Amino acid sequence: MESTISIAIQKSGRLSEKSLDLIRSCGIDVNADSRVLKASASGFPLDFLFVRDDDIPQYVADGVADIGIVGRNEYDESGISLSVVRDLKFASCRLSIAVPHGFVYKDLSSLEGKRIATSYPRILSDVLNKNGVNAQIVVVSGSVEITVDVGIADAIADLVSTGTTLKMNGLEEVECIYRSSAVMIARSDMSDEKRVLLNRLLERIDAVMLARHQKYILFNLPSDKLEEAAAIIGGMKSPTVTPLMDKNWVSVQSAVDENRFWAVFEELRRLGAEGILVMNIEKMTE
Ligand code: ATP
Ligand code: ZN
C-alpha cells in the first residue's frame, strides 16, 4: 500500500482558513466543507485531522498525526519537543503585557509582586524568570482582557494582533514579550516513506511561499537603459531581455520582491519604461 502522511489542522479559528488555503495552493484538494474530524485529500497522499489548536502538539507527539499547523505560541506553551519544520508566516501576533490606565509601567520589573492573567503561563514565566521578576501568574483559558476589570489580576499577558480588543477593554499594551506566527511542526521519528512525503510537501509549500512575495514584471524599455534597469531590478539572476522590432527598444521581464515593487516601478518609469505589466506569481523556486 502507498504510504500517506497525516496533518492536524485547527478545526475552526484563526488558523483554519489560511492553513487550508496553503495546502490547497500546493495542488492538494480536501473537502473541508463538512469539517468532519477526518478527511483525505486528492492530489497528494495526505490525511487531515481537524482539531482544536491546543491539542495539535500532543497529537503530533503521540503519532495521531505526523505533522501539524499551529501557532508558535501554542507549540511553545505545550512544552512538547517536536521539530519546527517551517515558519509559515501567517497568523502573526505577539504576546504583550497590558495594564489598566493608572498602572505606572516602566519595564518588566514594574510587574514585581503583581498578579498577571494569561493563557500562556509557560511562556510568561519563562520571560519573567529570565528578567528576575517575581509575580503571581493567574491562568485563564479565555477572555484574559476582562480579568483586570473583574478584579482577579493587576495586569495581563495576552495575544495581540492589532490591539483594538485591549483598547476596548481599557487596557494599554506596554511591552511585547514574545512573537508568534503559524508554524509547521513534525515528529522527529518519522518513517523514511513519510519523510519523503513531508519533503515533497515542503517543496511545494516553499514554492508557494516564495511566490507570494514576488511580482512578475514585464515592460518595454529604450535599449540604452538596459544596464540601469538591470541594476534597479537586482534579484537573483539577470532579467530576461527580448529584442523588439524597433531596434531602439527591448522587452524586459523579471520577478521583483513585493516589498521593493513600488520603488522599482517608479525608477523604471523614470528610465522611460513603457507598457509595464505586473502579474502575480503562483509558484516559484529559487
Ligand atoms: P481553538 O478552538 O482551536 O482552541 P483558539 O480560540 O484557541 O481556538 P484562535 O483564536 O483561533 O484559537 O487563535 C489561533 C491562533 O491564532 C493563536 O494561537 C495565535 O497563534 C494566532 N493569533 C493571531 N492573531 C491572534 C490574536 N489577535 N489573538 C489570538 N490569537 C491570534
Ligand atoms: Zn485553542
Side-chain angles (χ1 to χ4, degrees), residues 91-164:
S92 304
C93 57
R94 51 193 190 271
L95 188 66
S96 284
I97 301 292
V99 297
H101 303 302
F103 187 120
V104 183
Y105 187 92
K106 257 181 49 211
D107 51 36
L108 287 172
S109 71
S110 310
L111 297 171
E112 182 71 33
K114 304 286 188 202
R115 298 164 303 164
I116 315 166
T118 190
S119 305
Y120 298 94
R122 183 186 294 264
I123 300 175
L124 175 61
S125 66
D126 240 39
V127 172
L128 293 177
N129 287 342
K130 279 193 187 117
N131 287 274
V133 176
N134 282 301
Q136 185 194 333
I137 299 180
V138 180
V139 185
V140 289
S141 61
S143 304
V144 183
E145 66 283 354
I146 66 159
T147 53
V148 173
D149 216 27
V150 300
I152 60 167
D154 306 304
I156 68 168
D158 201 11
L159 290 179
V160 187
S161 49
T162 58
T164 38

Side-chain angles (χ1 to χ4, degrees), residues 52-54 74:
R52 282 198 58 191
D53 67 346
D54 315 51
E74 285 298 340

Side-chain angles (χ1 to χ4, degrees), residues 80-104:
I80 294 167
S81 172
L82 300 161
S83 346
V84 174
V85 291
R86 281 303 178 275
D87 186 336
L88 303 173
K89 316 252 191 231
F90 62 82
S92 304
C93 57
R94 51 193 190 271
L95 188 66
S96 284
I97 301 292
V99 297
H101 303 302
F103 187 120
V104 183

Side-chain angles (χ1 to χ4, degrees), residues 258-276:
E258 195 175 45
N259 296 325
R260 295 177 53 241
F261 175 76
W262 285 109
V264 169
F265 178 90
E266 282 162 14
E267 288 193 53
L268 291 176
R269 286 292 286 163
R270 220 167 293 136
L271 279 185
E274 286 180 6
I276 302 179

